[in-house]
Amino acid sequence: MFAELQMLTPLVPTREVYFVRYCKQLSAEQWAIVDVSIDKVEENIDASLVKCRKRPSGCIIQDKTNGHCKVIWVEHLECQKNTVHTLYRTIVRSGLAFGARHWMATLQHQCERLVFFMATNVPTKDSTGVATLAGRKSILKLAQRMTWSFCHSIGASSYHTWNKVSTKTGEDIRVSSRKNLNDPGEPHGVIVCAVSSVWLPVSPTLLFDFLRDESRRSEWDIMSNGGPVQSIANLAKGKDRGNAVTIQAMKSKENSMWVLQDSCTNAFESMVVFAHVDVTGIQSVITGCDSSNMAILPSGFSILPDGLESRPLVISSRHEKSNDTEGGSLLTVAFQILTNSSPTAKLTMESVESVNTIVSCTLRNIKTSLQCEDG
């Protein structure tokens, strides 16, 4: 097998791993899945170019007979030393970024998401604005596709070429572009993605709650023009209230623009992913229609702890400040825009500058709202 392990930022190189996987049932209630890298995986792979190898890693799954299972996870990697951006050095070297805790948190999150997706006895308070189970499933499917697309677009994968752009305001922004010729799931044409990762002296929890809060969206979203945001639908997809899919209407004098938002949080990381959607199209999805051909272009945020939990911080809200010892946040801001609906069009500097401006203004608005302009 081949896997490319990535963080949700282009600042950390991906880890490319070739390995063999062995699965075995150990007893009536216990299974094991073990991965290990070997010297000869394929004839055309030069072993000297492989920078990361799996020592015996994997998990043991035990059935607890009550609808639950116990999982023990071991991650054992041997990697060549490479340069990691100073922002992410602590979280990578501590093992948090690519370690067992990360994968366990992700596994728990995905299991919970599946339980809520398959549920037929959803309380009304966990599914407002969508009348049927078919509509709920269609919206959750669309949101999941949107988030997967977002994750695929912003990592340091070998599929992307990132160019560093220095802005007038000093942000370190990475830009990549791609052409969509025939994927019906996103707009056809030339797409530009701009990403910036920064450290902020606020806790990950506070930052996540701020960014997912529709009542505060106008504080950072320049597309809202400061106008009110109305909730159309709110679907829970986990026990934590931060795991939810919402549909929001941003109203202005000219028109009403709808936004699909997927917020996700677990013990390791949080995300807020969103995309502007066609009102007629999303209304049909709410009724239960298939969303697989609905074109969607996500932008959003990834939030990680900085790995320095003992650092004293100033945690701010709109009305008060208090000292806290929870660590700061590593925030990645990513925006994608369709610059031309013709896939054969050339990328222009104007379109690159346009998406860079969106990233810069969004970052500035977030820092201002959370009173950490010097973060």
Side-chain angles (χ1 to χ4, degrees):
M1 297 180 73
F2 169 76
E4 189 175 39
L5 311 175
Q6 71 172 47
M7 289 184 67
L8 295 178
T9 173
L11 298 187
V12 179
T14 59
R15 292 186 171 182
E16 298 183 358
V17 192
Y18 292 90
F19 57 94
V20 293
R21 171 167 289 175
Y22 180 58
C23 306
K24 184 176 182 179
Q25 184 166 0
L26 304 176
S27 67
E29 297 87 25
Q30 208 169 48
W31 296 261
I33 302 171
V34 181
D35 300 336
V36 64
S37 294
I38 57 176
D39 289 333
K40 282 287 182 182
V41 182
E42 292 181 27
E43 290 297 325
N44 59 345
I45 296 174
D46 185 348
S48 65
L49 298 178
V50 177
K51 296 180 179 179
C52 198
R53 293 167 55 86
K54 276 200 175 204
R55 294 291 183 89
S57 304
C59 62
I60 295 172
I61 304 166
Q62 183 179 352
D63 184 2
K64 303 301 285 185
T65 69
N66 59 353
H68 296 76
C69 63
K70 177 182 177 181
V71 179
I72 299 172
W73 199 297
V74 176
E75 195 68 25
H76 191 180
L77 287 169
E78 177 188 346
C79 297
Q80 291 182 14
K81 280 189 175 180
N82 57 9
T83 305
V84 177
H85 194 281
T86 51
L87 277 178
Y88 290 88
R89 205 163 284 165
T90 300
I91 199 171
V92 170
R93 289 182 178 174
S94 68
L96 276 174
F98 296 101
R101 287 184 188 177
H102 182 182
W103 310 139
M104 191 71 91
T106 304
L107 178 63
Q108 286 178 306
H109 181 82
Q110 291 300 329
C111 287
E112 192 174 278
R113 184 189 66 82
L114 281 170
V115 167
F116 273 71
F117 178 76
M118 299 301 293
T120 55
N121 56 341
V122 183
T124 307
K125 66 180 177 62
D126 289 340
S127 194
T128 59
V130 179
T132 65
L133 280 174
R136 176 184 165 83
K137 282 193 172 184
S138 289
I139 292 292
L140 292 178
K141 265 188 184 177
L142 178 60
Q144 181 69 11
R145 173 163 68 86
M146 175 178 72
T147 298
W148 277 344
S149 172
F150 174 77
C151 294
H152 186 263
S153 300
I154 71 169
S157 169
S158 54
Y159 292 104
H160 301 136
T161 301
W162 292 99
N163 297 305
K164 185 175 178 179
V165 177
S166 296
T167 65
K168 296 172 184 175
T169 48
E171 285 94 2
D172 179 356
I173 297 179
R174 311 293 165 112
V175 176
S176 72
S177 64
R178 66 184 189 277
K179 295 181 178 181
N180 179 31
L181 302 176
N182 49 25
D183 180 1
E186 65 179 23
H188 290 180
V190 180
I191 296 168
V192 177
C193 179
V195 182
S196 184
S197 297
V198 297
W199 178 82
L200 293 179
V202 294
S203 74
T205 304
L206 185 144
L207 183 56
F208 174 64
D209 286 344
F210 167 72
L211 291 172
R212 70 182 182 84
D213 185 351
E214 63 200 39
S215 70
R216 301 191 70 180
R217 187 180 196 100
S218 59
E219 293 181 42
W220 60 262
D221 190 346
I222 61 175
M223 298 296 286
S224 71
N225 294 315
V229 178
Q230 177 191 352
S231 176
I232 303 296
N234 191 319
L235 310 179
K237 61 185 183 76
K239 287 181 287 187
D240 189 298
R241 60 191 176 88
N243 286 312
V245 175
T246 59
I247 300 171
Q248 305 164 9
M250 297 193 296
K251 294 189 175 181
S252 65
K253 292 178 182 177
E254 292 79 23
N255 57 9
S256 177
M257 185 163 48
W258 284 23
V259 174
L260 176 68
Q261 178 175 294
D262 186 15
S263 60
C264 319
T265 187
N266 60 43
F268 175 75
E269 65 191 338
S270 301
M271 279 189 289
V272 178
V273 182
F274 59 89
H276 296 109
V277 289
D278 173 66
V279 175
T280 306
I282 199 71
Q283 284 174 333
S284 72
V285 177
I286 289 173
T287 65
C289 293
D290 179 33
S291 64
S292 57
N293 288 331
M294 186 172 179
I296 201 161
L297 191 60
S299 299
F301 308 97
S302 163
I303 304 162
L304 290 168
D306 63 6
L308 303 171
E309 286 83 359
S310 60
R311 178 187 298 167
L313 298 172
V314 174
I315 306 301
S316 64
S317 69
R318 263 183 290 192
H319 305 296
E320 61 183 341
K321 285 192 174 185
S322 63
N323 287 327
D324 194 11
T325 55
E326 187 178 355
S329 299
L330 299 173
L331 172 67
T332 296
V333 179
F335 278 87
Q336 298 189 96
I337 60 170
L338 180 71
T339 64
N340 198 304
S341 55
S342 169
T344 58
K346 294 279 176 63
L347 181 64
T348 64
M349 277 310 297
E350 287 82 0
S351 57
V352 172
E353 287 169 5
S354 175
V355 72
N356 282 351
T357 300
I358 296 173
V359 171
S360 296
C361 289
T362 303
L363 270 174
R364 187 166 63 248
N365 290 345
I366 292 169
K367 290 177 180 180
T368 300
S369 287
L370 296 177
Q371 301 171 30
C372 55
E373 287 89 340
D374 298 323

